Amino acid sequence: LEILVTVLNVNDNSPVFKQTNLTDIVPEDTKVNATIVARADLSASDADLDTIFYELTTIVSGTDGYFAIKGVNNPEIYLQKALNYEKFNSTTLVLYARDRPVGSTDTINTATTTINIFIEQADTKPPWFLPCTFIDTGKSICISSPYTGRVNISEIPTEPLILEPGPIYAIDPDYTLNEKIMYSIVGGDTDEVFSVNADTGNLTMKKAATSSASYLLQVMATQVNNIQKYSIVSVEIKVINKSHYPPYFESKIYNGTVRVLLPPRSFVFKAGNPSAPLMITAADEDFPDV
C-alpha cells in the first residue's frame, strides 16, 4: 500500500529582524523624502516564508509625523517633513513586523525593532544681533532692534561708543556649531568717521563729527566660514553739542496749595493764586533759547 503524506506549513515562526536596536544620525538639513534607514537594514525574515507586513510608530511625544515607511510591505524609512533642531534633537521609532495583516483573524506573530534617531544641527541660520525677539514659537527667527548712540560734535572719544540697548554683538544661532562672527560697516559712513572692530563689534571714531546731522550706519555680521550667512543691523549715532553747564531750577522754592478731598491727578495751584497751576521749571545755559 502506497501512502502519500502532505505536510502543511503551520504559522509557528515569528518574523526576525537582523537587529533589534538601531541608531542613526540625521543632519538637520536633510531633504524631505530622503531615505533615512535603508530597506535592507530593516527587512525582517520569516521561516514560514510568509509575506511581512510593517508598521512604524513614534514613541516620543511631539516628534510624530516626521518619519514614515515607504509602504506596508516596504520598511524603508524616509523623511516626511523638514527637521528643526530647535523643536527636537532626537526621537525613537518602533518598527513592527507581522506575518499577517493587521485585523486578520488568523494567528499573528509579531517582531519589533527600535530605531533611535539623533538630529545633527546644521548651519542653516544667519547670525543674530542681540538682544533680539523671537517672532515664532519654534524660536527659529529672532528680530533685533536698531542700536542707538550719541557723540559730541568736534570730539573724538578714545573708548568704544556706548550704545543702546547694548554693544554691537551677534551670535551664530546654530549654537552647537557656534561659528566665528566678523563685523564690518557696509553703509551710512560716507565720511569714514567710524570704525568697527572686526572681532568684537566695538564701534569707535576715527575722526570727529563736524556736522550735527545724525549718522545711520549699516553694520554687517558675517560668518567667517561662510560669507553667505550674514545679517545687517542699523546703528543710529546722534551728534549733539557738548553740555558745559548743568541744568538748574529757576526758583529755589516753589509754594503751592491744594484743597482737601481733591481726587487724584488734580492740579496743584500757586500759593496765593488759586487760578494758576503750579509749574516747576528748569533751564540750561547750553540751550538758552529753549
Side-chain angles (χ1 to χ4, degrees):
L1 177 64
E2 181 178 325
I3 300 174
L4 180 64
V5 177
T6 301
V7 179
L8 299 178
N9 188 15
V10 176
N11 183 21
D12 56 352
N13 292 284
S14 296
V16 177
F17 284 105
K18 295 178 183 178
Q19 304 177 67
T20 57
N21 196 295
L22 294 87
T23 297
D24 195 23
I25 298 175
V26 182
E28 179 187 12
D29 56 355
T30 298
K31 301 296 184 183
V32 172
N33 294 322
T35 297
I36 303 302
V37 185
R39 179 175 185 172
D41 296 328
L42 295 171
S43 295
S45 60
D46 190 330
D48 297 319
L49 303 180
D50 291 320
T51 299
I52 306 298
F53 299 85
Y54 298 94
E55 180 186 5
L56 185 68
T57 62
T58 303
I59 63 174
V60 178
S61 177
T63 66
D64 54 315
Y66 286 87
F67 302 95
I69 56 175
K70 287 292 183 71
V72 68
N73 301 121
N74 183 353
E76 178 179 313
I77 297 177
Y78 71 98
L79 184 63
Q80 193 165 235
K81 61 181 181 178
L83 297 169
N84 185 336
Y85 187 86
E86 277 68 35
K87 287 186 177 179
F88 71 95
N89 53 37
S90 66
T91 187
T92 301
L93 313 174
V94 175
L95 180 65
Y96 293 86
R98 301 181 176 92
D99 55 12
R100 295 289 186 274
V102 174
S104 173
T105 56
D106 296 334
T107 300
I108 300 177
N109 297 309
T110 304
T112 62
T113 185
T114 301
I115 303 101
N116 302 295
I117 302 290
F118 293 94
I119 312 303
E120 182 179 62
Q121 189 169 35
D123 190 5
T124 60
K125 300 181 183 66
W128 289 346
F129 283 98
L130 299 181
C132 64
T133 303
F134 290 108
I135 62 172
D136 64 328
T137 56
K139 295 187 176 182
S140 59
I141 302 175
C142 202
I143 302 300
S144 60
S145 300
Y147 296 97
T148 59
R150 298 187 303 173
V151 297
N152 294 324
I153 195 169
S154 302
E155 287 189 1
I156 305 178
T158 58
E159 298 294 327
L161 301 185
I162 297 175
L163 305 176
E164 294 292 339
I168 297 173
Y169 179 61
I171 62 167
D172 179 7
D174 300 310
Y175 55 88
T176 63
L177 304 178
N178 194 27
E179 299 293 349
K180 181 176 174 57
I181 305 295
M182 63 179 181
Y183 305 89
S184 59
I185 298 174
V186 295
D189 190 21
T190 55
D191 298 330
E192 296 185 350
V193 173
F194 301 92
S195 176
V196 67
N197 187 296
D199 294 321
T200 66
N202 286 335
L203 191 66
T204 55
M205 296 184 70
K206 296 188 291 185
K207 58 183 180 181
T210 57
S211 170
S212 60
S214 297
Y215 292 87
L216 188 59
L217 308 177
Q218 302 296 314
V219 175
M220 182 169 68
T222 309
Q223 285 186 198
V224 172
N225 72 324
N226 186 352
I227 61 174
Q228 293 182 339
K229 293 286 194 308
Y230 69 89
S231 294
I232 295 177
V233 72
S234 296
V235 183
E236 183 182 13
I237 304 297
K238 297 179 180 179
V239 181
I240 61 174
N241 291 316
K242 185 175 181 179
S243 179
H244 297 281
Y245 305 98
Y248 61 91
F249 288 105
E250 295 182 334
S251 177
K252 292 184 178 181
I253 299 177
Y254 291 87
N255 296 310
T257 59
V258 294
R259 297 195 305 272
V260 297
L261 301 180
L262 281 177
R265 300 183 180 276
S266 297
F267 281 119
V268 176
F269 293 94
K270 289 182 179 180
N273 188 353
S275 62
L278 178 65
M279 298 183 66
I280 311 298
T281 57
D284 192 323
E285 294 296 335
D286 292 310
F287 305 96
D289 298 329
V290 177

